[in-house]
């Protein structure tokens, strides 16, 4: 970086600090515009707002219709040698106002426990914080009168219900998306004690329902009947519970579905070493605190980390069937039962493969009545630590005098296989900033951490811009 470039970059970083009130106001404006994909509430308004902001920042932007929700597609061409594709989200999950300390869509900044000043609001972490930080990084360049050091391709989707629109969008825009050198997913991963966290990969996500209805196999047909018939008529709730229990070992530590892991490449020595290093430095109490739990399923921290990074899980999000009355009782033999599941597959595990394995497992073990209803799904992916883009990310942390935990994979689900495999470019993720309580009451983002996130993204863009072409092959 020459003196002129260094001076320009420092001007941008000063702008991040000097104009921070405006950057914070951007995030508050985004949170106040509700965009709840589960209810299809405010989605079009939020997409239009983001597109308008990109145009105001000097870029081109359009709102592209999708399979379920629209995608905001933006481009900023600064005439740079490198192009970064930034992928994010503009939607959130619902919020029950009565469960929050402050109203979830007012975006108030308050002193929040021992975390200091935090912005409280739905989307602060997931993912309007990263979205606003990205656009505020661009705004800091404009305010400083400095051109972006890279060209930007911006893709913001509504993906809380599983990125259904993204695959078709990528396929239809493949030629222009292949102009990118790297894809970047900004996400606040810093811990409450300031420790930064860098991800090399993510898992996929598959959402499905398992349903049992009374029929020829047994059980009452249609509505439930009196519980006295349970002696000679099968109970759909009990059958579903037994089928669910048979998916894992009794302690829930291992999936026992035959062939489930067949497409997965064995973990390599590099990943195993990264997990070992994590076990030496992470605080198990901090991890359990984030999960609001007292202990891991596994016996040791190393085993828990191996499971988290290198295996998948079948999570039962909810079960419904029959009637439960607190303080009372209804004698009933239910006519049906349903469970909502989410599975976080590893690289190579497709929705079709998982569905076929589950079907064979249920049929082989005497549960042919269990119906499988796939809602959505996609694969994840991971990068080797030696990749040039990963090294640029890690060097950006070093520039901030920080030593991040390096996780070979996180259970956060992102459809990054579309960037790694379909587009064919490296994928990197994470930024500074501590946040928490996503999908829960009192979702928060530390105010100082939000400023640090904008600063970090700017530094990363400048670092990527300086990498010579021969040092940055396509993935």
């Amino acid at each position: 970086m020459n003196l002129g470039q260094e001076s320009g970059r420092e001007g941008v970083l000063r702008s991040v600090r000097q104009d921070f009130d405006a950057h914070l106001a951007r995030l508050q404006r985004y949170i106040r515009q509700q965009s709840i994909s589960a209810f299809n509430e405010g989605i079009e308004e939020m997409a239009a707002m983001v597109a308008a902001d990109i145009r105001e920042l000097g870029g081109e932007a359009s709102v592209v219709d999708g399979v379920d929700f629209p995608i905001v597609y933006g481009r900023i061409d600064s005439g740079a040698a490198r192009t970064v594709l930034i992928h994010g989200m503009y939607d959130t999950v619902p919020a029950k106002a009565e469960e929050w300390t402050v109203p979830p869509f007012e975006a108030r900044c308050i002193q929040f426990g021992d975390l200091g000043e935090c912005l409280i609001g739905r989307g602060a972490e997931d993912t309007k914080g990263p979205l606003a930080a990205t656009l505020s990084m661009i705004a800091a360049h404009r305010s400083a009168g400095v051109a972006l050091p890279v060209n930007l391709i911006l893709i913001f989707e509504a993906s809380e219900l599983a990125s259904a629109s993204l695959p078709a969008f990528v396929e239809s825009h493949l030629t222009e998306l292949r102009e990118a050198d790297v894809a970047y997913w900004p996400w606040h991963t810093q811990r409450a004690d300031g420790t930064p966290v860098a991800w090399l990969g993510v898992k996929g996500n598959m959402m499905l329902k398992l349903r049992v209805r009374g029929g020829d196999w047994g059980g009452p047909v249609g509505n439930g009947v009196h519980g006295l018939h349970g002696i000679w008529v099968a109970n759909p709730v009990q059958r579903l519970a037994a089928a669910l229990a048979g998916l894992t070992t009794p302690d829930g530590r291992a999936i026992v579905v035959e062939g489930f892991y067949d497409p997965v490449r064995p973990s390599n020595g590099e990943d195993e070493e990264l997990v070992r290093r994590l076990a030496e430095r992470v605080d198990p109490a901090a991890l359990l605190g984030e999960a609001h739990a007292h202990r891991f399923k596994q016996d040791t921290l190393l085993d828990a980390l191996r499971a988290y990074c290198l295996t998948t899980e079948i999570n039962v999000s909810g079960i419904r069937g029959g009637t439960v009355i607190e303080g009372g009782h209804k004698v009933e033999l239910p006519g049906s039962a349903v469970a909502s599941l989410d599975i976080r597959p590893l690289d190579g595990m497709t929705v079709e493969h998982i569905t076929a394995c589950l079907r064979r497992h249920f049929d082989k073990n005497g549960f042919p009545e269990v119906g499988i209803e796939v809602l959505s799904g996609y694969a994840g992916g991971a990068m080797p630590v030696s990749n040039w883009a990963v090294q640029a990310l890690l060097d950006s942390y070093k520039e901030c005098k920080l030593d991040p935990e390096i996780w070979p994979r996180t259970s956060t689900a992102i459809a990054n296989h579309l960037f790694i495999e379909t587009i064919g470019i490296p994928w990197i993720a994470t930024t500074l900033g501590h946040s928490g309580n996503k999908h829960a009451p009192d979702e928060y983002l530390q105010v100082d951490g939000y400023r640090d996130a904008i600063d970090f993204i700017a530094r990363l863009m400048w670092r990527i811009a300086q990498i010579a072409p021969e040092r940055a092959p396509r993935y």
Side-chain angles (χ1 to χ4, degrees):
M1 189 181 299
N2 60 40
L3 288 177
Q5 291 169 328
E6 180 66 29
S7 174
R9 192 191 74 145
E10 291 307 308
V12 171
L13 299 181
R14 281 195 301 273
S15 177
V16 171
R17 297 187 294 273
Q18 293 171 356
D19 298 337
F20 182 64
D21 286 348
H23 301 323
L24 184 61
R26 180 189 304 277
L27 174 54
Q28 290 175 308
R29 179 162 54 92
Y30 288 175
I31 289 174
R32 288 165 184 159
Q33 174 54 63
Q34 299 183 32
S35 51
I36 304 170
S37 48
F39 303 149
N40 196 13
E41 180 180 310
I43 293 295
E44 292 184 2
E45 293 84 351
M46 185 68 203
M49 179 182 290
V50 174
D53 279 7
I54 294 172
R55 296 187 200 105
E56 185 177 322
L57 292 170
E60 301 175 356
S62 58
V63 178
V64 182
D65 289 339
V67 174
D68 53 2
F69 303 112
I71 287 177
V72 179
Y73 181 37
R75 295 180 69 98
I76 300 178
D77 187 349
S78 60
R82 295 238 166 268
T83 299
V84 178
L85 187 162
I86 300 182
H87 173 217
M89 295 160 46
Y90 64 82
D91 67 324
T92 72
V93 297
K96 296 180 179 178
E98 66 273 14
E99 298 177 349
W100 288 60
T101 301
V102 298
F105 298 105
E106 288 190 4
R108 291 187 197 171
C109 293
I110 65 172
Q111 293 297 314
F112 193 51
D114 58 0
L115 295 170
E117 187 181 17
C118 292
L119 188 155
I120 310 296
R122 176 58 82 224
E125 176 180 14
D126 186 9
T127 58
K128 291 184 177 179
L131 167 61
T134 297
L135 296 192
S136 291
M137 177 274 296
I138 301 169
H141 281 79
R142 285 179 64 83
S143 177
V146 177
L148 284 162
V150 295
N151 308 312
L152 292 178
I153 298 174
L154 305 170
I155 300 176
F156 300 116
E157 58 167 328
S159 68
E160 285 292 358
L161 300 182
S163 292
S165 294
L166 191 59
F169 174 86
V170 168
E171 288 291 345
S172 64
H173 294 79
L174 194 53
T175 299
E176 53 207 79
L177 296 180
R178 281 181 171 158
E179 296 172 11
D181 296 288
V182 59
Y184 175 49
W185 172 270
W187 188 273
H188 306 297
T189 53
Q190 207 164 7
R191 300 200 186 283
D193 65 1
T195 302
V197 176
W199 304 335
L200 303 188
V202 293
K203 296 179 183 179
N205 194 11
M206 177 178 175
M207 300 180 187
L208 66 151
K209 286 182 168 56
L210 300 181
R211 193 182 304 272
V212 177
R213 292 188 175 96
D216 292 343
W217 67 272
V221 177
N223 297 327
V225 297
H226 196 286
L228 64 84
H229 293 293
I231 191 65
W232 53 19
V233 176
N235 187 318
V237 173
Q238 289 176 293
R239 294 294 292 171
L240 179 59
L244 289 169
L247 294 174
T248 68
T249 53
D251 57 15
R253 296 179 184 177
I255 295 169
V256 296
V257 177
E258 185 177 348
F260 195 73
Y261 284 111
D262 283 357
V264 179
R265 293 184 295 273
S267 61
N268 56 40
E270 183 180 89
D271 286 351
E272 294 284 355
E273 176 62 17
L274 289 172
V275 171
R276 186 190 65 77
R277 291 180 188 175
L278 283 174
E280 292 176 350
R281 68 173 291 184
V282 301
D283 178 7
L287 298 180
L288 288 168
E290 292 174 5
H292 298 275
H294 293 292
R295 61 157 294 162
F296 299 113
K297 287 193 289 189
Q298 296 76 16
D299 291 329
T300 68
L301 174 61
L302 179 60
D303 287 341
L305 290 169
R306 285 195 81 259
Y308 183 90
C309 294
L310 306 179
T311 69
T312 189
E313 63 268 16
I314 297 177
N315 178 61
V316 180
S317 295
I319 304 175
R320 187 180 68 212
T323 304
V324 175
I325 303 173
E326 298 295 338
H329 184 73
K330 178 185 178 183
V331 179
E332 180 183 2
L333 175 59
S336 65
V338 61
S340 289
L341 277 64
D342 48 272
I343 300 174
R344 308 222 164 206
L346 300 176
D347 319 1
M349 299 175 71
T350 65
V351 171
E352 294 77 14
H353 168 76
I354 293 172
T355 304
C357 287
L358 291 175
R359 183 71 275 155
R360 285 195 301 269
H361 176 84
F362 290 137
D363 292 347
K364 180 179 178 180
N365 290 278
F367 297 101
E369 71 275 15
V370 176
I372 303 171
E373 304 169 11
V374 176
L375 302 178
S376 59
Y378 53 80
M383 302 300 300
V385 72
S386 58
N387 180 270
W388 70 267
V390 173
Q391 288 300 307
L393 178 79
L394 298 180
D395 286 344
S396 297
Y397 280 110
K398 291 177 185 176
E399 182 184 328
C400 298
K401 297 181 172 53
L402 294 169
D403 177 25
E405 299 171 4
I406 303 175
W407 290 66
R409 190 178 284 100
T410 173
S411 281
T412 297
I414 304 167
N416 70 344
H417 72 289
L418 292 169
F419 307 104
I420 297 173
E421 298 175 15
T422 305
I423 300 176
I425 56 177
W427 177 91
I428 54 176
T430 68
T431 185
L432 294 179
H434 172 67
S435 56
N437 292 342
K438 65 177 180 179
H439 291 214
D442 290 342
E443 184 175 354
Y444 68 88
L445 171 61
Q446 284 182 326
V447 171
D448 286 348
Y450 175 60
R451 182 195 60 235
D452 293 342
I454 303 168
D455 179 285
F456 181 89
I457 297 170
R459 291 176 188 272
L460 176 60
M461 296 301 105
W462 280 85
R463 185 165 292 278
I464 289 172
Q466 301 304 310
I467 297 174
E470 62 270 15
R471 291 180 50 218
R474 296 180 71 82
Y475 182 60

